[in-house]
Amino acid sequence: MPYEPPTHSVERSIRATTGAKIIAGIDEVGRGAWAGPVTVCAAVTGLRRPPTGLTDSKLITPKRRTTLAAELEQWVTAYALGDASPAEIDELGMTAALRLAAVRALEGLPVRPDAVILDGKHDYLGGPWQVRTVIKGDQSCVAVAAASVIAKVRRDALMAELEAEAETYVPYAFAANAGYPSPVHKAALQELGPSPQHRLSWAYLDAMPRWRHLKKVRISAEAAALESGGQLGFDF
Protein backbone atom coordinates (compact mmCIF):
# COMPACT_ATOMS: atom_id res chain seq x y z
CA MET A 1 0.00 0.00 0.00
CA PRO A 2 1.43 3.44 -0.93
CA TYR A 3 2.28 5.70 1.98
CA GLU A 4 3.38 9.28 2.40
CA PRO A 5 7.03 9.57 3.41
CA PRO A 6 7.78 11.20 6.78
CA THR A 7 8.64 14.89 6.88
CA HIS A 8 10.28 17.41 9.17
CA SER A 9 7.07 19.42 9.66
CA VAL A 10 6.77 18.65 13.36
CA GLU A 11 10.44 19.43 13.96
CA ARG A 12 10.04 22.74 12.08
CA SER A 13 6.95 23.59 14.12
CA ILE A 14 8.74 22.91 17.40
CA ARG A 15 11.71 24.99 16.31
CA ALA A 16 9.47 27.89 15.30
CA THR A 17 7.31 27.90 18.42
CA THR A 18 9.84 27.05 21.13
CA GLY A 19 13.25 27.94 19.77
CA ALA A 20 14.46 24.37 20.28
CA LYS A 21 17.47 23.50 18.15
CA ILE A 22 18.23 19.87 19.02
CA ILE A 23 15.14 17.68 18.69
CA ALA A 24 15.11 13.94 19.31
CA GLY A 25 12.54 11.52 17.94
CA ILE A 26 11.65 8.60 20.20
CA ASP A 27 9.98 5.28 19.49
CA GLU A 28 9.73 1.99 21.37
CA VAL A 29 9.53 -1.66 20.42
CA GLY A 30 8.60 -4.66 22.53
CA ARG A 31 5.73 -3.15 24.48
CA GLY A 32 3.36 -6.03 23.65
CA ALA A 33 5.88 -8.87 23.77
CA TRP A 34 5.69 -11.65 26.37
CA ALA A 35 9.47 -11.93 26.66
CA GLY A 36 12.52 -9.74 26.35
CA PRO A 37 13.06 -6.07 27.15
CA VAL A 38 11.19 -3.05 25.95
CA THR A 39 13.64 -1.06 23.83
CA VAL A 40 13.54 2.67 23.14
CA CYS A 41 15.59 4.55 20.55
CA ALA A 42 16.22 8.29 20.63
CA ALA A 43 17.37 9.69 17.28
CA VAL A 44 18.49 13.20 16.31
CA THR A 45 18.36 13.84 12.57
CA GLY A 46 18.39 17.56 11.92
CA LEU A 47 16.48 18.65 8.82
CA ARG A 48 18.34 16.68 6.16
CA ARG A 49 16.61 14.49 3.60
CA PRO A 50 16.37 10.92 4.96
CA PRO A 51 17.30 7.70 3.16
CA THR A 52 14.77 6.51 0.58
CA GLY A 53 12.00 4.31 1.91
CA LEU A 54 12.03 5.50 5.50
CA THR A 55 8.73 4.94 7.34
CA ASP A 56 7.32 3.08 10.34
CA SER A 57 9.39 -0.07 10.85
CA LYS A 58 6.24 -2.23 10.84
CA LEU A 59 5.61 -1.27 7.21
CA ILE A 60 9.03 -2.43 6.00
CA THR A 61 10.07 -6.00 5.21
CA PRO A 62 12.61 -7.52 7.63
CA LYS A 63 15.35 -7.64 4.97
CA ARG A 64 14.85 -4.02 3.92
CA ARG A 65 14.52 -2.96 7.56
CA THR A 66 17.94 -4.39 8.40
CA THR A 67 19.56 -2.65 5.44
CA LEU A 68 17.80 0.63 6.22
CA ALA A 69 18.79 0.51 9.89
CA ALA A 70 22.45 0.24 8.88
CA GLU A 71 22.01 3.28 6.59
CA LEU A 72 20.24 5.23 9.31
CA GLU A 73 22.90 4.56 11.92
CA GLN A 74 25.38 6.29 9.62
CA TRP A 75 22.96 9.01 8.48
CA VAL A 76 21.50 10.31 11.75
CA THR A 77 23.25 13.06 13.66
CA ALA A 78 23.12 10.89 16.78
CA TYR A 79 21.18 8.00 18.26
CA ALA A 80 21.13 5.96 21.45
CA LEU A 81 19.16 3.01 22.77
CA GLY A 82 17.76 2.25 26.19
CA ASP A 83 16.22 -0.96 27.51
CA ALA A 84 14.04 -1.91 30.45
CA SER A 85 14.43 -5.57 31.36
CA PRO A 86 11.60 -8.06 31.93
CA ALA A 87 12.28 -7.86 35.66
CA GLU A 88 12.02 -4.06 35.58
CA ILE A 89 8.78 -4.27 33.61
CA ASP A 90 7.37 -6.68 36.20
CA GLU A 91 8.46 -4.44 39.05
CA LEU A 92 7.50 -1.04 37.65
CA GLY A 93 4.72 -1.66 35.15
CA MET A 94 4.97 -0.81 31.47
CA THR A 95 4.47 2.96 31.67
CA ALA A 96 7.28 3.47 34.19
CA ALA A 97 9.47 0.92 32.37
CA LEU A 98 8.99 2.82 29.12
CA ARG A 99 10.05 6.02 30.83
CA LEU A 100 13.09 4.30 32.31
CA ALA A 101 14.15 2.99 28.90
CA ALA A 102 13.50 6.36 27.23
CA VAL A 103 15.53 8.25 29.83
CA ARG A 104 18.38 5.77 29.36
CA ALA A 105 18.25 6.39 25.61
CA LEU A 106 18.12 10.17 25.95
CA GLU A 107 20.95 10.20 28.47
CA GLY A 108 22.99 8.07 26.07
CA LEU A 109 22.94 10.79 23.41
CA PRO A 110 26.11 12.88 23.11
CA VAL A 111 24.04 16.07 23.50
CA ARG A 112 20.91 16.76 25.52
CA PRO A 113 17.90 17.47 23.26
CA ASP A 114 15.99 20.72 23.70
CA ALA A 115 12.76 18.91 22.81
CA VAL A 116 11.49 15.39 22.20
CA ILE A 117 8.93 14.02 19.73
CA LEU A 118 7.21 10.99 21.20
CA ASP A 119 5.31 8.49 19.07
CA GLY A 120 1.69 8.03 20.18
CA LYS A 121 -0.83 10.08 22.13
CA HIS A 122 0.37 9.39 25.68
CA ASP A 123 3.33 11.21 27.19
CA TYR A 124 5.03 8.50 29.26
CA LEU A 125 8.22 10.59 29.49
CA GLY A 126 7.14 13.82 31.16
CA GLY A 127 9.33 16.48 32.73
CA PRO A 128 11.90 17.80 32.72
CA TRP A 129 11.78 16.93 29.03
CA GLN A 130 9.85 19.18 26.64
CA VAL A 131 7.65 16.61 24.87
CA ARG A 132 5.44 16.74 21.79
CA THR A 133 3.33 13.61 21.25
CA VAL A 134 2.40 12.71 17.69
CA ILE A 135 -0.04 9.94 16.80
CA LYS A 136 1.56 7.73 14.14
CA GLY A 137 4.70 9.78 14.48
CA ASP A 138 6.66 6.75 13.28
CA GLN A 139 5.02 7.30 9.87
CA SER A 140 4.91 11.09 9.72
CA CYS A 141 8.07 12.35 11.49
CA VAL A 142 11.54 11.66 10.14
CA ALA A 143 13.28 11.45 13.53
CA VAL A 144 10.63 9.16 15.01
CA ALA A 145 10.61 6.91 11.94
CA ALA A 146 14.39 6.60 12.13
CA ALA A 147 14.15 5.70 15.82
CA SER A 148 11.44 3.14 14.99
CA VAL A 149 13.59 1.29 12.48
CA ILE A 150 16.77 1.30 14.55
CA ALA A 151 14.95 0.14 17.70
CA LYS A 152 13.14 -2.68 15.89
CA VAL A 153 16.25 -4.07 14.22
CA ARG A 154 18.37 -3.83 17.38
CA ARG A 155 15.77 -5.54 19.60
CA ASP A 156 15.08 -8.28 17.05
CA ALA A 157 18.83 -8.94 16.88
CA LEU A 158 19.04 -9.09 20.67
CA MET A 159 16.26 -11.69 20.85
CA ALA A 160 17.96 -13.76 18.14
CA GLU A 161 21.24 -13.58 20.06
CA LEU A 162 19.54 -14.90 23.20
CA GLU A 163 18.35 -17.95 21.29
CA ALA A 164 21.75 -18.50 19.70
CA GLU A 165 23.67 -18.23 22.96
CA ALA A 166 21.55 -20.45 25.21
CA GLU A 167 19.74 -23.69 24.43
CA THR A 168 17.22 -22.73 27.11
CA TYR A 169 15.63 -20.25 24.71
CA VAL A 170 15.59 -22.37 21.54
CA PRO A 171 12.10 -23.87 22.08
CA TYR A 172 10.56 -20.40 22.32
CA ALA A 173 11.87 -19.41 18.84
CA PHE A 174 12.85 -15.90 19.89
CA ALA A 175 14.79 -15.44 16.64
CA ALA A 176 11.54 -15.78 14.69
CA ASN A 177 9.02 -14.09 16.97
CA ALA A 178 11.15 -11.67 19.03
CA GLY A 179 9.23 -12.66 22.15
CA TYR A 180 5.75 -12.00 20.75
CA PRO A 181 2.99 -14.65 21.14
CA SER A 182 3.45 -16.81 18.05
CA PRO A 183 1.99 -20.37 18.00
CA VAL A 184 5.45 -21.89 18.58
CA HIS A 185 6.09 -19.53 21.47
CA LYS A 186 2.72 -20.32 23.05
CA ALA A 187 3.26 -24.07 22.72
CA ALA A 188 6.70 -23.85 24.36
CA LEU A 189 5.28 -21.84 27.22
CA GLN A 190 2.53 -24.37 27.79
CA GLU A 191 5.07 -27.19 27.89
CA LEU A 192 8.09 -25.60 29.59
CA GLY A 193 6.74 -22.58 31.39
CA PRO A 194 8.34 -19.12 31.35
CA SER A 195 12.08 -18.59 30.95
CA PRO A 196 14.22 -15.97 32.71
CA GLN A 197 13.44 -13.64 29.79
CA HIS A 198 9.66 -13.79 30.24
CA ARG A 199 7.54 -11.11 31.84
CA LEU A 200 5.90 -12.76 34.81
CA SER A 201 3.29 -10.07 35.49
CA TRP A 202 1.69 -10.51 32.04
CA ALA A 203 -1.85 -11.89 31.67
CA TYR A 204 -0.79 -14.81 29.44
CA LEU A 205 0.00 -16.79 32.60
CA ASP A 206 -3.67 -16.63 33.61
CA ALA A 207 -4.47 -18.99 30.73
CA MET A 208 -1.79 -21.50 31.77
CA PRO A 209 -2.96 -23.30 34.92
CA ARG A 210 0.26 -25.30 35.15
CA TRP A 211 2.35 -22.14 35.48
CA ARG A 212 -0.13 -19.66 36.93
CA HIS A 213 1.53 -19.85 40.35
CA LEU A 214 4.58 -18.09 38.90
CA LYS A 215 2.68 -14.93 38.07
CA LYS A 216 3.95 -11.83 39.83
CA VAL A 217 1.49 -9.29 41.15
CA ARG A 218 2.92 -5.81 41.08
CA ILE A 219 1.80 -3.56 43.91
CA SER A 220 0.88 0.00 42.99
CA ALA A 221 3.42 2.81 43.17
CA GLU A 222 1.28 4.43 45.87
CA ALA A 223 1.36 1.29 48.03
CA ALA A 224 5.09 0.91 47.47
CA ALA A 225 5.62 4.50 48.56
CA LEU A 226 3.71 3.88 51.78
CA GLU A 227 5.67 0.71 52.52
CA SER A 228 9.00 2.41 51.97
CA GLY A 229 8.17 5.62 53.80
CA GLY A 230 7.84 7.55 50.56
CA GLN A 231 11.25 6.55 49.22
CA LEU A 232 10.75 4.69 45.94
CA GLY A 233 14.44 4.63 45.08
CA PHE A 234 14.06 6.26 41.67
CA ASP A 235 12.95 9.63 40.44
CA PHE A 236 9.85 9.17 38.29
Side-chain angles (χ1 to χ4, degrees):
M1 179 181 294
Y3 53 83
E4 292 294 323
T7 70
H8 293 294
S9 61
V10 176
E11 290 98 320
R12 293 183 189 278
S13 172
I14 293 173
R15 285 175 179 238
T17 56
T18 70
K21 295 181 179 180
I22 301 172
I23 301 171
I26 282 185
D27 199 15
E28 53 76 25
V29 63
R31 186 192 302 227
W34 289 359
V38 63
T39 298
V40 171
C41 180
V44 179
T45 65
L47 300 177
R48 295 171 296 142
R49 178 177 294 179
T52 301
L54 177 62
T55 187
D56 172 13
S57 63
K58 296 184 292 295
L59 301 178
I60 307 172
T61 64
K63 182 177 180 180
R64 173 56 183 152
R65 201 162 51 215
T66 300
T67 301
L68 183 58
E71 294 179 43
L72 288 168
E73 289 174 9
Q74 298 299 315
W75 174 81
V76 298
T77 303
Y79 78 92
L81 294 123
D83 294 318
S85 70
E88 288 171 328
I89 293 169
D90 286 336
E91 178 183 357
L92 303 174
M94 182 51 75
T95 299
L98 278 170
R99 184 176 195 275
L100 181 63
V103 169
R104 286 170 173 166
L106 287 165
E107 290 181 345
L109 291 171
V111 291
R112 182 182 176 91
D114 302 312
V116 173
I117 304 172
L118 198 62
D119 181 48
K121 63 180 179 179
H122 298 298
D123 178 8
Y124 58 76
L125 184 58
W129 308 93
Q130 179 176 294
V131 178
R132 174 82 63 88
T133 59
V134 179
I135 296 174
K136 294 188 177 180
D138 49 10
Q139 295 183 36
S140 62
C141 302
V142 169
V144 179
S148 168
V149 173
I150 294 172
K152 174 64 174 169
V153 170
R154 285 298 189 94
R155 185 181 181 279
D156 283 358
L158 171 63
M159 297 304 291
E161 287 168 9
L162 286 172
E163 182 178 333
E165 292 173 0
E167 291 185 6
T168 304
Y169 302 123
V170 172
Y172 303 100
F174 288 158
N177 59 50
Y180 286 86
S182 70
V184 172
H185 188 178
K186 291 180 181 179
L189 271 168
Q190 290 281 6
E191 178 64 25
L192 303 171
S195 75
Q197 287 296 324
H198 280 88
R199 303 169 186 181
L200 299 182
S201 58
W202 251 224
Y204 68 84
L205 283 173
D206 293 334
M208 299 181 181
R210 185 179 175 187
W211 308 107
R212 194 179 296 156
H213 66 284
L214 297 175
K215 186 175 181 181
K216 291 185 176 180
V217 178
R218 180 177 55 87
I219 62 175
S220 68
E222 292 81 2
L226 289 171
E227 289 186 3
S228 60
Q231 300 300 314
L232 289 177
F234 35 77
D235 182 14
F236 285 162

